[in-house]
Amino acid sequence: MTLTMENHRFKVEVEMAGAEIGSIWDKEHKREYLWQGDPAIWPHRSPVLFPLCGPLEGDRFEEGGQDYTMGREGLAMGLRHKLVCHDKGLICLRLESTPQSMESYPYRFAVKTTYSLKANHVSSRMKVLNYGKETMYFRCGFLTALAVPFVPGTAPGDYALRMEQPEALTLLERNEAGLLTRDTHMWEPEGGIIPIAGGALDSGVILKEPNSQYLQLECKNGANLRFYLRGAPYTFLRTTPAGGAPRLLSIGDWHGAPDFVGAPAAWDKKENVIALGAMEEYYVHQTIVIGDK
């Protein structure tokens, strides 16, 4: 089922399956800002990530002396979320643990995702609640796939990703399975501008604790999308090429990262995880501001 928020300028669609934004449509300029999916490349648009951000070592973990398996997409992306409230500028969805979910993730939880549209701001908020009596371990975040190009008549080479400020970035190295290797390297894009074309992001990069508070995807005609990542400790960037040219740019604000190679199976021994006590809550916030040109 598709839910809609709308104002005089924009129409935003949210899918109850996965609680993901499926469309950000600019009625004035007749533009779709989100990647519209392709099963041969990547079928999603902007999925909610919980309880993983990338793969586990061996796609498994241990809790309470038992083994559990889980693919890198986690749980939230593949389940239908329940509607909490909906009006022209707000959509709130909720995912709760079930006996079936506890077969692969043995915690009592709720994930509440709220989207709002105000003027040219599209805001996404996630609240994770631990309803159990024991500490719950997880990773979470958003992963938004933008269409490149999003202005008709332009090409991927007309776009760049500009950081709030030039800085030296710390990139976390991964192996072919997507696991962290403990190696890092520094990358200082010239002038704080990350090119979209050219292949630098084709394999995906994970930035650790960038100083910039936002990243701005810019078209040469002046149109832009600004992502405020709200202090996420990890930022994921990836372009997916097709026929030699990018068709999407994924931007992830991640609270957590993939396992390290050789990571222990026990959740409480893993790194880059959130430990949430009984009846505690954890919040994630992302805002997209759409330029007027």
Side-chain angles (χ1 to χ4, degrees):
M1 181 178 176
T2 302
L3 306 170
T4 301
M5 301 183 293
E6 191 167 4
N7 61 22
H8 72 284
R9 171 80 182 276
F10 300 102
K11 180 179 180 181
V12 178
E13 296 180 349
V14 176
E15 304 295 334
M16 292 183 66
E20 66 177 325
I21 300 177
S23 173
I24 301 177
W25 177 252
D26 187 329
K27 296 186 287 186
E28 178 179 331
H29 294 106
K30 304 296 189 295
R31 296 175 188 155
E32 174 58 63
Y33 292 106
L34 285 191
W35 157 258
Q36 287 303 290
D38 183 339
I41 300 175
W42 197 59
H44 300 284
R45 277 77 163 171
S46 59
V48 171
L49 304 182
F50 175 87
L52 300 180
C53 297
L56 295 167
E57 171 75 40
D59 291 333
R60 61 180 287 271
F61 65 92
E62 292 179 2
E63 175 59 35
Q66 297 187 41
D67 278 350
Y68 298 87
T69 60
M70 185 180 297
R72 67 178 62 203
E73 293 187 344
L75 291 176
M77 193 184 301
L79 297 176
R80 180 182 175 89
H81 298 229
K82 297 179 181 179
L83 179 62
V84 176
C85 61
H86 177 207
D87 63 29
K88 65 180 182 179
L90 182 75
I91 294 172
C92 183
L93 300 169
R94 185 181 179 95
L95 178 67
E96 295 185 351
S97 56
T98 65
Q100 291 74 30
S101 71
M102 294 184 72
E103 292 177 0
S104 57
Y105 182 68
Y107 302 102
R108 294 184 60 227
F109 69 86
V111 177
K112 184 178 179 181
T113 309
T114 303
Y115 297 107
S116 63
L117 172 65
K118 185 175 182 181
N120 61 336
H121 290 56
V122 179
S123 294
S124 307
R125 296 177 177 85
M126 181 194 307
K127 179 170 71 172
V128 180
L129 303 94
N130 178 8
Y131 281 152
K133 297 180 180 180
E134 307 295 334
T135 299
M136 182 173 80
Y137 300 92
F138 64 96
R139 299 158 175 157
C140 65
F142 294 103
L143 181 58
T144 304
L146 303 173
V148 178
F150 59 76
V151 176
T154 60
D158 298 326
Y159 293 78
L161 193 63
R162 182 187 299 272
M163 298 184 291
E164 177 191 21
Q165 57 189 12
E167 61 179 283
L169 300 169
T170 301
L171 272 60
L172 305 183
E173 298 285 353
R174 296 177 295 157
N175 66 10
E176 292 182 357
L179 300 172
L180 300 180
T181 66
R182 298 194 182 278
D183 292 328
T184 64
H185 73 268
M186 303 304 294
W187 181 32
E188 190 167 4
E190 185 175 355
I193 297 176
I194 301 172
I196 301 302
L201 304 178
D202 281 2
S203 297
V205 297
I206 299 176
L207 314 179
K208 183 178 181 181
E209 299 177 345
N211 293 320
S212 293
Q213 295 300 301
Y214 66 77
L215 300 172
Q216 183 164 292
L217 178 62
E218 300 177 343
C219 178
K220 68 176 184 179
N221 79 335
N224 62 80
L225 296 172
R226 178 175 290 187
F227 269 70
Y228 287 91
L229 301 174
R230 305 300 184 189
Y234 303 95
T235 300
F236 177 76
L237 302 174
R238 183 177 183 180
T239 53
T240 300
R247 292 173 59 185
L248 68 89
L249 168 66
S250 295
I251 300 179
D253 53 336
W254 288 4
H255 293 244
D259 270 358
F260 285 98
V261 174
W267 257 123
D268 63 343
K269 299 295 191 297
K270 292 181 182 293
E271 301 175 63
N272 307 322
V273 298
I274 300 161
L276 195 64
M279 304 307 296
E280 291 184 348
E281 302 173 349
Y282 188 86
Y283 294 87
V284 177
H285 184 195
Q286 171 190 273
T287 301
I288 304 172
V289 180
I290 304 167
D292 292 329
K293 293 183 179 180

